[in-house]
Amino acid sequence: MRRAPLWLRLVAGVLALVTVTLFVTGFAGTRLLRGYLVKQTEQRLMTTAERARMLQRPAPGPANRPRQELPSDFVVQSYSADGELLSTLDSGDQKPPDVKPGKLGQPFEKGDWLVVRVADPRGYLAVSVSLANVDRIVGRMTRINIGVSAAALLLLGLACWWLARSLGRMEADLLARQASERSALDTAERMRRFMGEASHELRTPVTTIRGYADMYQQQRPTLSDESTAQIMDRIGKQAVRMTGLVNDLLLLAQIDSGEQARTERQRVDLLDLAADIVLDDLSDRVTLDGVSTVVSGDPVRLRQAISNLVDNALRHTTGPVRVTVGPGYVDVADVGPGIPAEHADRVFDRFYRAGVARAAAQGGSGLGLAIVAGIAQAHGGRVSLESSEVGARFRLSLPVAG
């Protein structure tokens, strides 16, 4: 029930409580009714028993007939002192119980009969009355209670269901609001962390450019042409680095906003894209193998994703890099030192660098794999990592076009 919706738990709880309440009140009501009817019958029984005892006394004149004096629903049995049945009056087709000797004047139930013993010159009289009528009334009241309770539960269930629909909408709105608030908080936290990391990454090239610019202005009269060229070269490289970082940040912002998902899709052969990247490689360390596989997507962004995986492998390893294209995937594998297991789950985080082997000193901003993950997600795919002691293999998985 803890997994059930709030409205279902509420309806079930209300119906359960009402059912228990109706059962308890119905049971108590029928027991009280039966007790009342039995009490009334006891009073009639005692009155009839006294009349029967008086009728047993001898009287002058013609004999009085108990059958004509006693109510028809009562039975009078005459017993000797040792419990032998002497006679039965007004029994008709009824079968009253056998009554052993016992306490006089105290009504008691025996089977479906209410019985009382009274003194008699020959022994005692047992006056009995059937409780069948009482049981019929109680049974009828029980059926009425069951019927009314069932109807009440049905109506209450319908009312609760109707009310629960509103509660269900309220619960959905509440859950949506909570999810929205959590998402907003997560987004704000990611944005805060992202801005801090981006500021830190941009500070390095900006500081370098400013430092070389100040050096050039202060030492310009004494600088040789060679020194001036070196300063300008350093400034240019840092500017290129900063431009690349800004472009990566802009691309990630587009991915976060969903703009990449709205880009017009084309039929793209992953083998062709991988072949272009391998042909552009000047290190002669990248080899290509695989089969043609067509996906639907943005060729520029997909090429960038594959290129980032290849550049990542070339930057952090010195051995060969193998690109394999299969049905709906592109694998980029190297034979470098691999990625430690404690870093494997975070290599696709922004600005994250795994260990010494893949540190910032080897270049890069820590955004390349994050861009790959964003492009893969925008195309309905994913990127994964398999790392070992003899290298790492990244797999870019994409849905195959129909």
Side-chain angles (χ1 to χ4, degrees), residues 39 47 86 283 305 369:
K39 193 69 176 177
T47 301
L86 301 177
S283 65
L369 294 179

Side-chain angles (χ1 to χ4, degrees), residues 320-342:
V321 176
R322 186 175 186 83
V323 180
T324 304
V325 180
Y329 70 87
V330 177
D331 284 349
V332 178
D334 60 54
V335 291
I339 299 177
E342 61 270 19

